[in-house]
Amino acid sequence: MDKQADSQVENEWKLADIEYNGYSNNDIIKFLSQLQNQTHDYLEAKKMLISAIRLVKKKGLTTNKKMTGGYVKDYVDTWIANGLTSVDEMVKFENNRNERSTDNQRESNVLIPTSDQIQKQNEKLAQQLGYNTVEEMGKASWNLLVELRNTRPERMANKAKTGLTATGHQVLKRF
């Protein structure tokens, strides 16, 4: 491999504030060879690796500690797995990936009901159950729950007489 190209990638690595340790040079050589096998062009592989390093820097994937080469590896592995062979393909892929993630964020925001939607749903349910207002439905539901709570011991005592368990299943009878 071209020693100058390696030093250019190393400089990008250091400029991106990615931790440079005893394994970093080996990682850079490995990433370059993987990308070169994919693209069949050393310069294109070098451009893609520099793009991965810059993406890591741009996204600021860590807060106070230095970034590691693992973030670069994730990009390289993803691009290889998706068969990308040029920087142009990589740019299109990353743009589509960003659009998909923003679409997913929009979808998750849509799924959260607003207070108006909840109020309309409650009004519709009250109408279906024959109540005039939501408050009337709430009071009736509360009264029903209080009555069920008060009659629970009596209902549980009757279960034994009927041959049913507390969950309503038939008790096995011994012969």
Side-chain angles (χ1 to χ4, degrees), residues 62-144:
T62 59
T63 53
N64 295 332
K65 43 187 179 170
K66 284 190 163 200
M67 294 177 251
T68 65
Y71 294 109
V72 177
K73 180 185 184 308
D74 291 342
Y75 279 109
V76 170
D77 289 346
T78 301
W79 297 340
I80 290 172
N82 285 285
L84 306 180
T85 58
S86 70
V87 173
D88 294 334
E89 290 177 1
M90 180 270 307
V91 169
K92 288 178 188 174
F93 177 81
E94 287 300 322
N95 287 339
N96 288 339
R97 195 168 157 184
N98 290 337
E99 286 175 15
R100 284 192 305 264
S101 71
T102 56
D103 287 345
N104 289 343
Q105 289 172 351
R106 285 188 206 127
E107 280 184 25
S108 64
N109 290 341
V110 171
L111 296 177
I112 300 170
T114 63
S115 58
D116 291 338
Q117 291 171 329
I118 293 170
Q119 182 63 27
K120 287 179 184 176
Q121 182 182 16
N122 287 341
E123 288 170 359
K124 184 178 177 182
L125 183 61
Q127 253 183 353
Q128 288 174 349
L129 295 174
Y131 297 104
N132 295 327
T133 64
V134 175
E135 291 79 18
E136 192 177 303
M137 179 181 70
K139 286 179 185 176
S141 298
W142 178 258
N143 291 337
L144 179 63

Side-chain angles (χ1 to χ4, degrees), residues 34-57:
Q34 288 175 334
L35 287 168
Q36 188 176 4
N37 288 339
Q38 183 82 10
T39 63
H40 303 293
D41 181 12
Y42 180 76
L43 290 176
E44 197 68 25
K46 186 172 104 175
K47 289 178 190 175
M48 288 180 75
L49 182 56
I50 289 172
S51 297
I53 293 168
R54 289 179 178 171
L55 276 171
V56 168
K57 171 76 173 172

